[in-house]
Amino acid sequence: MKLAYWMYAGPAHIGTLRISSSFKNVHAIMHAPLGDDYFNVMRSMLERKRDFTPVTASVVDRHVLARGSQEKVVSNISRKDKEEEPDLVVLTPTCTSSILQEDLQNFVNRASFETKSDVLLADVNHYRVNEMQAADRTLEQIVQFYLKKAKKNNTIEKTRTKTPSVNIIGAFNLAFHNQHDISELKRLLSDLNIKINTVIPEGASVQELKNLTKAWFNIVPYREVGLLTAEYLKLNFKMPYVDVTPMGIVETANCIRKIQHILNTNNLNVNFENYIDIQTRFVSQSAWFSRSIDCQNLTGKKAIVFGDSTHSAAMTKILTKEMGINVVWAGTYCKYDKSWFEKEVGGMCDEVIITDDHNLIADLIAKVEPAVIFGTQMERHVGKRLNIPCGVISAPVHIQNFPLSYRPFLGYEGANQIADLIYNSFTLGMEDHLLEIFGGHDTKEVINSSLSNDRHIIWDSEAKLELAKIPGFVRGRIKRNTEKFAQQNKLQRVTLEVMYAAKEAVN
Amino acid sequence: MIIMKSENALELEKINFACETGNYHTFCPISCVAWLYQKIEDSFFLVIGTKTCGYFLQNALGVMIFAEPRYAMAELEEGDISAQLSDYEELKRLCLQIKRDRDPSVIFWIGTCTTEIIKMDLEGIAPKLEAEINLPIVVARANGLDYAFTQGEDTVLAALAQHFPTKSKNYEMGDIELTKHAPLILFGSIPDPVVNQLSLELKKQGIKISGWLPSKRYTELPVIKEGNYVCGVNPFLSRTATTLMRRKKCKLIGAPFPIGPDGTRAWLEKICAVFGVEPSGLKEREEEIWEKLKFYLSLVKGKSVFFMGDNLLEISLARFLIRSGMMVYEIGIPYMDKRYQAAELQLLEKTCKEQQKPIPIIIEKPDNYNQVDRIREIHPDLVITGMAHANPLEARGVNTKWSVEFTFAQIHGFTNSIDILELITRPLRRNQKLERIGGSLYTNFR
């Protein structure tokens, strides 16, 4: 047992659901107790989705516990098949169903006799993998399933497109600034004259998967989701892939060079160096911005970085290589990706931290007292407590990290966004610091010219206590309203009763 | 012993009850720790479950998680599931850590689906560990296998009811004996201001509350004795009521719940009736409140409502809304205890007759998919639903109100009636203002 207040990565089934609900016309059925369909709320609220989340539960209740699911799962699958006519139904085990050890594969086999849709059992172990690993695996599983099927039916695409084309693997829901990243990536690839073959899984139909093999290569922008699929495609269809995250000027250039290398090994003589140079110096503002004298002030400032491995590594590189900032430590909660992370940020920071314990992270931040934090929402709150500014660079995130406006982290526009994020975090910190030195803003405490000055109104102790319980930001208003009410009613004394009467009157 | 007229049970048949598949969205009952740890100030809640439970709590409770809450997960690992580790030793280690770091007066263990399935003997371990670490441990099984959302509080209060001291050092019986009537204990967790408000209303009638379950602090739990009267303030507390009746031999006052001015008056009147007190000024008080609601009533009059059902407040809210001039099509509800809610159902029926509105159908264990179909068909003016459906329905031009807000808002008593209508009319008022920015359909999907 582990005492836990907070976790960075969710349970495995969340990963599976994020992938299945990203596809078009794929329905997930969770084998779960009542209340475990919390994923629907997250998708509907954080992403503000307009469609109903294609996830239902085959509810595990006391009867299931006693007798097993019996027909329940099968009939729930067939029911969804008729109601929604999905292409694919993904039966998703949860932590509860894992320990029930029902033969879910058997349900899937039986159901698929009756259904028009395909039926799959998500292959994830709840007690061994987390949200991201499960998402990675589920995507591979679905791709594998449809490619095998296409191979069997001989409908698989065997010829490549005439001109260079690419699959983007890693567009999925509830991911950090993902939608904007994918748009930016598409723009970058079209600048390089590379056609987008498919983007999976977000918005893709499983029927398109047989076309994956048409592309010349794959690009996997995030380490967390898509690598297994890319590996599978490489192994079975000899498709090379690019796994350099184009985040920051330097890494974007590296990513483009890797693409160039792949194209050239396919007998296409391309040279993107000029493009990289123009983009870096003139289209993107961030390289110039780092050069400008304003940014000199950032030199050697202490920062710490924490997040998923993709964003934390990329951010560390940007801070050290592109801004000259001193990253005291960089860390990730993707413990399973330890060796990659250490390799990437080694030499970029004084220390590497691999943990999923938020208390440890908070303690380390307090110890180092950096000028700025780049982390998740959790680190933002730590920053608030310690009065250190924080830029959010990675999931887990809140609703405000799903902005409406265009805010990519990838590509050249992404570099601009990141530069703003870094700079704004620092100036705020500096401003705060100066204010402290010079004694704060010039605002004398506003003396409340409330009505109570004219007439003396006494608050009895019970009412005072009640008033104290009211949150600070409305307390003043409630006090004034109550006193006004008391005055109007010629009452000298505010009791609890008067307070409530005042509330009723004001409303 | 339920105090109500015996023929009522028959009359209830007039309301149409149905039961669907139970495929509906609701919060997991462990969410009750969110409000209970705030209510019971010296408590610590330990949820013994998996990452799934933890993830739900951290997402559902949003910002609260960052205020060093007095609750945590005892996250079960593979070794716990396969019984390689001793439950007793593991729990001892965690509870000692909690005792050291937080020094609570009581630790609540919240059992989850997983502890049920692996049959972890929490009730058996607790008394031993309690003695060993010298700290009371209360076990409540608030799991999704058996319960929905607010029923979590019910399991906690039922467990707490058994922990009631029969003798208390702090609160000697002398205080209680001063009252002219038999001791009255109210049960249900409501914010302290609302506790004060309801106490005041009863005080005006000359009725004194001898204690609340839960109290503000664990150490202030009231003494409860055979023959004491108890009354619920929330419709989802049937297990607590049963425990108080059967284990503690209390007399349950079966009343409608103090939600809305009509409900509050009926609740007060019922309590008065039981104690033989002639209620005074309640009619005027109720009318006065309705008068204050005038503006909101003008907005809701004639509008129709559909309750998808997820928190068991549905019957009381529907009854209040019908009295406010609305028309209710369907009351979805996770679980319907016809005995505990008898007086409330009766008042619902009476209200429908008085308002000349059809009695809505009550659907237990609803099926959300079928409900959405019905919503498409009848197109109600307002759907009260969970967040999983709210945005998709709004995109289809259906006004929605997020049901969980009713659980967290102050809705009890005369004073707070306005808050209910404020919540109910918010989507109506908002969408009226948005009329200029174009149509109400924001999706092409069905």
Side-chain angles (χ1 to χ4, degrees):
Chain A
M1 270 179 224
K2 201 168 85 181
L3 195 62
Y5 294 88
W6 209 78
M7 62 184 82
Y8 285 103
H13 71 269
I14 297 286
T16 297
L17 297 180
R18 280 173 67 186
I19 295 300
S20 68
S21 65
S22 291
F23 278 111
K24 217 160 55 190
N25 215 23
V26 171
H27 201 98
I29 293 188
M30 296 168 70
H31 189 235
L34 200 64
D36 270 5
D37 59 350
Y38 188 70
F39 175 76
N40 299 29
V41 175
M42 289 174 58
R43 189 169 174 273
S44 172
M45 293 307 289
L46 295 176
E47 293 239 46
R48 304 177 190 90
K49 290 282 186 195
R50 302 167 190 215
D51 52 332
F52 291 100
T53 299
V55 173
T56 34
S58 177
V59 177
V60 175
D61 56 15
R62 197 47 76 170
H63 299 290
V64 170
L65 220 57
R67 305 173 306 149
S69 292
Q70 296 186 345
E71 296 306 312
K72 202 170 184 178
V73 176
V74 177
S75 66
N76 273 321
I77 296 175
S78 335
R79 180 184 162 188
K80 271 303 142 200
D81 178 56
K82 288 185 192 80
E83 279 170 356
E84 315 243 329
E85 300 177 351
D87 294 322
L88 169 69
V89 174
V90 180
L91 182 59
T92 310
T94 57
C95 56
T96 308
S97 70
S98 298
I99 32 177
L100 282 178
Q101 298 194 324
E102 286 197 80
D103 189 358
L104 295 181
Q105 186 59 51
N106 176 39
F107 294 147
V108 164
N109 296 347
R110 272 169 51 205
S112 51
F113 286 125
E114 300 169 21
T115 55
K116 280 203 205 93
S117 49
D118 299 311
V119 191
L120 266 181
L121 172 65
D123 168 37
V124 288
N125 180 329
H126 252 268
Y127 295 92
R128 300 210 176 146
V129 297
N130 68 16
E131 174 181 359
M132 285 165 293
Q133 292 163 293
D136 201 12
R137 170 65 188 129
T138 303
L139 182 59
E140 183 202 20
Q141 200 188 354
I142 293 174
V143 167
Q144 213 172 349
F145 178 81
Y146 279 98
L147 286 181
K148 277 188 177 155
K149 193 177 169 188
K151 230 174 174 175
K152 209 172 97 192
N153 299 340
N154 224 356
T155 52
I156 202 158
E157 280 294 342
K158 286 189 182 113
T159 45
R160 284 196 331 196
T161 53
K162 273 192 199 114
T163 52
S165 63
V166 63
N167 299 317
I168 300 176
I169 303 175
F172 59 115
N173 61 41
L174 290 171
F176 186 69
H177 291 244
N178 181 278
Q179 215 187 330
H180 313 290
D181 279 352
I182 299 300
S183 302
E184 186 62 20
L185 207 54
K186 282 181 183 169
R187 199 164 81 175
L188 178 77
L189 290 161
S190 97
D191 278 355
L192 303 177
N193 268 324
I194 297 168
K195 284 227 166 56
I196 310 293
N197 184 47
T198 56
V199 179
I200 59 168
E202 184 75 59
S205 151
V206 286
Q207 313 300 351
E208 293 169 42
L209 292 176
K210 62 175 190 298
N211 299 333
L212 277 174
T213 46
K214 268 164 67 180
W216 289 33
F217 68 103
N218 296 312
I219 183 161
V220 184
Y222 312 111
R223 276 197 71 70
E224 286 74 25
V225 175
L227 275 183
L228 283 178
T229 308
E231 272 296 332
Y232 171 79
L233 291 168
K234 186 180 173 190
L235 216 72
N236 289 276
F237 301 93
K238 298 191 174 59
M239 295 177 75
Y241 65 86
V242 178
D243 63 350
V244 178
T245 304
M247 189 170 149
I249 293 286
V250 177
E251 288 299 294
T252 302
N254 284 344
C255 178
I256 295 172
R257 288 194 188 104
K258 198 154 179 198
I259 293 171
Q260 173 182 295
H261 175 75
I262 287 174
L263 296 184
N264 287 345
T265 48
N266 281 288
N267 304 323
L268 203 79
N269 194 13
V270 288
N271 187 341
F272 295 141
E273 287 304 330
N274 195 34
Y275 173 79
I276 293 172
D277 183 52
I278 300 282
Q279 289 287 327
T280 305
R281 286 194 297 136
F282 301 108
V283 177
S284 167
Q285 299 295 316
S286 73
W288 160 240
F289 177 70
S290 311
R291 255 309 147 88
S292 68
I293 49 164
D294 208 15
C295 273
Q296 277 180 13
N297 288 336
L298 302 184
T299 312
K301 282 252 183 303
K302 282 199 293 190
I304 68 99
V305 184
F306 193 76
D308 63 20
S309 34
T310 302
H311 289 90
S312 183
M315 201 63 194
T316 306
K317 291 176 200 168
I318 293 169
L319 290 169
T320 44
K321 288 200 285 198
E322 297 177 27
M323 298 283 210
I325 288 158
N326 174 21
V327 178
V328 184
W329 56 261
T332 181
Y333 54 83
C334 299
K335 282 157 86 176
Y336 60 94
D337 207 16
K338 183 171 186 268
S339 56
W340 178 86
F341 188 79
E342 283 174 340
K343 197 182 88 218
E344 288 298 300
V345 301
M348 304 271 174
C349 55
D350 306 342
E351 203 183 341
V352 179
I353 308 290
I354 313 276
T355 182
D356 55 4
D357 178 357
H358 71 91
N359 281 321
L360 179 68
I361 292 298
D363 289 348
L364 282 170
I365 293 172
K367 206 174 96 190
V368 168
E369 282 192 65
V372 69
I373 304 166
F374 294 101
T376 72
Q377 280 293 340
M378 192 69 211
E379 283 69 48
R380 194 172 74 87
H381 285 271
V382 173
K384 264 188 188 168
R385 280 217 312 253
L386 299 173
N387 240 333
I388 302 171
C390 176
V392 175
I393 54 142
S394 160
V397 285
H398 285 171
I399 194 155
Q400 66 262 39
N401 301 109
F402 291 88
L404 302 180
S405 56
Y406 189 55
R407 304 277 289 282
F409 268 61
L410 300 188
Y412 289 106
E413 176 55 26
N416 288 342
Q417 297 285 344
I418 294 169
D420 277 343
L421 179 74
I422 294 173
Y423 186 75
N424 290 344
S425 306
F426 272 112
T427 39
L428 289 176
M430 181 69 89
E431 200 177 318
D432 246 22
H433 190 59
L434 287 174
L435 282 171
E436 203 169 290
I437 290 171
F438 296 114
H441 283 286
D442 188 21
T443 45
K444 293 275 173 300
E445 196 166 324
V446 181
I447 292 157
N448 210 333
S449 58
S450 69
L451 290 146
S452 56
N453 289 351
D454 320 332
R455 280 187 54 155
H456 221 62
I457 287 174
I458 306 150
W459 286 68
D460 79 359
S461 58
E462 262 186 323
K464 252 189 210 156
L465 228 102
E466 184 80 359
L467 187 68
K469 273 184 229 146
I470 293 162
F473 59 97
V474 286
R475 197 181 300 139
R477 198 180 77 217
I478 294 196
K479 182 162 185 267
R480 275 196 301 282
N481 285 341
T482 309
E483 288 179 352
K484 199 164 127 196
F485 174 85
Q487 198 183 36
Q488 281 164 353
N489 290 282
K490 308 211 161 36
L491 299 166
Q492 299 279 335
R493 203 176 175 83
V494 176
T495 58
L496 273 183
E497 212 167 345
V498 173
M499 271 186 89
Y500 302 138
K503 187 191 175 217
E504 285 165 19
V506 168
N507 283 323
Chain B
M1 175 181 156
I2 298 179
I3 299 172
M4 62 174 207
K5 288 175 206 151
S6 55
E7 68 266 20
N8 294 343
L10 290 171
E11 273 175 42
L12 291 182
E13 295 305 313
K14 287 174 200 160
I15 300 178
N16 233 332
F17 293 98
C19 186
E20 278 189 304
T21 63
N23 262 314
Y24 63 101
H25 168 76
T26 182
F27 272 11
C28 172
I30 59 171
S31 51
C32 67
V33 308
W35 63 89
L36 287 177
Y37 91 78
Q38 292 185 346
K39 174 73 194 179
I40 309 172
E41 290 169 2
D42 52 352
S43 64
F44 191 96
F45 284 80
L46 184 67
V47 182
I48 305 162
T50 61
K51 250 184 179 336
T52 306
C53 314
Y55 199 62
F56 163 70
L57 281 178
Q58 110 180 19
N59 280 291
L61 309 187
V63 178
M64 273 193 266
I65 203 98
F66 301 109
E68 296 221 3
R70 290 186 318 280
Y71 78 78
M73 291 291 309
E75 197 184 311
L76 300 169
E77 292 167 300
E78 211 167 0
D80 299 302
I81 305 297
S82 54
Q84 285 166 335
L85 299 167
S86 150
D87 300 336
Y88 184 84
E89 289 303 322
E90 290 296 296
L91 284 167
K92 183 177 156 189
R93 184 170 55 81
L94 300 194
C95 288
L96 281 173
Q97 192 183 333
I98 292 164
K99 193 183 172 190
R100 195 185 60 224
D101 296 349
R102 304 295 178 97
D103 192 29
S105 307
V106 59
I107 296 182
F108 287 89
W109 285 354
I110 306 294
T112 61
C113 303
T114 310
T115 56
E116 287 296 310
I117 295 171
I118 62 173
K119 299 195 169 36
M120 194 181 277
D121 183 20
L122 297 177
E123 279 93 346
I125 299 173
K128 283 184 221 153
L129 197 56
E130 200 173 57
E132 195 175 340
I133 67 172
N134 197 19
L135 190 65
I137 295 171
V138 179
V139 182
R141 304 177 178 200
N143 62 68
L145 295 167
D146 301 306
Y147 306 109
F149 196 12
T150 48
Q151 286 180 292
E153 175 181 321
D154 193 21
T155 62
V156 172
L157 297 192
L160 204 51
Q162 310 208 38
H163 261 248
F164 262 147
T166 38
K167 264 189 237 158
S168 164
K169 284 175 222 132
N170 311 342
Y171 288 78
E172 272 309 322
M173 290 300 289
D175 197 22
I176 290 174
E177 277 155 10
L178 281 179
T179 59
K180 291 184 196 105
H181 52 80
L184 169 67
I185 287 154
L186 299 183
F187 57 95
S189 164
I190 47 177
D192 293 339
V194 188
V195 167
N196 287 340
Q197 287 162 13
L198 289 182
S199 308
L200 252 165
E201 298 292 353
L202 279 167
K203 198 172 147 196
K204 280 187 205 160
Q205 304 302 330
I207 292 169
K208 189 174 179 329
I209 301 170
S210 301
W212 277 84
L213 172 68
S215 45
K216 255 174 77 168
R217 302 178 65 83
Y218 174 77
T219 48
E220 290 169 10
L221 275 177
V223 178
I224 189 159
K225 287 191 163 175
E226 187 171 340
N228 288 359
Y229 283 86
V230 291
C231 185
V233 297
N234 269 324
F236 44 77
L237 298 172
S238 44
R239 280 176 72 88
T240 309
T242 313
T243 308
L244 288 168
M245 281 192 292
R246 296 209 183 131
R247 296 288 185 101
K248 293 286 169 178
K249 313 276 183 247
C250 293
K251 293 176 191 157
L252 176 71
I253 303 176
F257 301 100
I259 292 169
D262 48 342
T264 308
R265 179 182 164 192
W267 182 76
L268 290 166
E269 281 179 347
K270 186 61 194 270
I271 295 172
C272 287
V274 168
F275 291 128
V277 174
E278 184 66 36
S280 74
L282 284 182
K283 186 167 175 276
E284 295 73 27
R285 182 96 170 98
E286 188 194 347
E287 275 163 11
E288 185 193 337
I289 296 290
W290 284 116
E291 185 62 27
K292 282 172 183 157
L293 299 178
K294 243 182 175 170
F295 166 69
Y296 293 100
L297 294 178
S298 71
L299 294 175
V300 299
K301 193 165 189 276
K303 297 266 189 337
S304 58
V305 194
F306 190 109
F307 284 88
M308 285 185 81
D310 74 344
N311 59 14
L312 285 95
L313 293 171
E314 291 88 359
I315 307 283
S316 310
L317 287 174
R319 177 260 303 148
F320 168 52
L321 294 184
I322 293 169
R323 177 65 183 76
S324 301
M326 297 184 93
M327 147 104 177
V328 177
Y329 282 118
E330 173 169 331
I331 308 177
I333 187 166
Y335 170 72
M336 180 74 245
D337 186 332
K338 288 180 200 163
R339 283 203 303 171
Y340 177 63
Q341 294 220 42
E344 184 62 87
L345 287 168
Q346 213 184 329
L347 183 58
L348 170 73
E349 208 181 56
K350 187 171 148 237
T351 304
C352 290
K353 273 183 200 146
E354 279 172 10
Q355 296 292 314
Q356 296 178 328
K357 293 270 163 47
I359 299 177
I361 184 167
I362 295 176
I363 299 207
E364 214 181 336
K365 293 184 181 301
D367 184 296
N368 280 167
Y369 187 87
N370 298 344
Q371 283 184 317
V372 170
D373 267 356
R374 293 198 284 273
I375 288 167
R376 282 189 180 113
E377 219 167 276
I378 54 186
H379 221 97
D381 294 308
L382 184 67
V383 174
I384 297 176
T385 179
M387 279 209 288
H389 293 93
N391 269 340
L393 285 172
E394 288 281 349
R396 284 155 185 79
V398 180
N399 294 323
T400 61
K401 182 74 226 148
W402 178 38
S403 54
V404 174
E405 282 189 72
F406 294 104
T407 324
F408 294 123
Q410 304 189 352
I411 60 169
H412 294 79
F414 287 123
T415 313
N416 297 309
S417 302
I418 200 155
D419 295 46
I420 306 175
L421 286 186
E422 169 74 26
L423 284 175
I424 288 287
T425 57
R426 196 172 293 158
L428 305 172
R429 283 178 287 136
R430 198 268 310 257
N431 291 355
Q432 223 167 32
K433 290 195 172 162
L434 298 187
E435 259 166 6
R436 292 227 174 154
I437 63 167
S440 57
L441 281 182
Y442 284 87
T443 176
N444 294 322
F445 290 104
R446 200 178 98 88

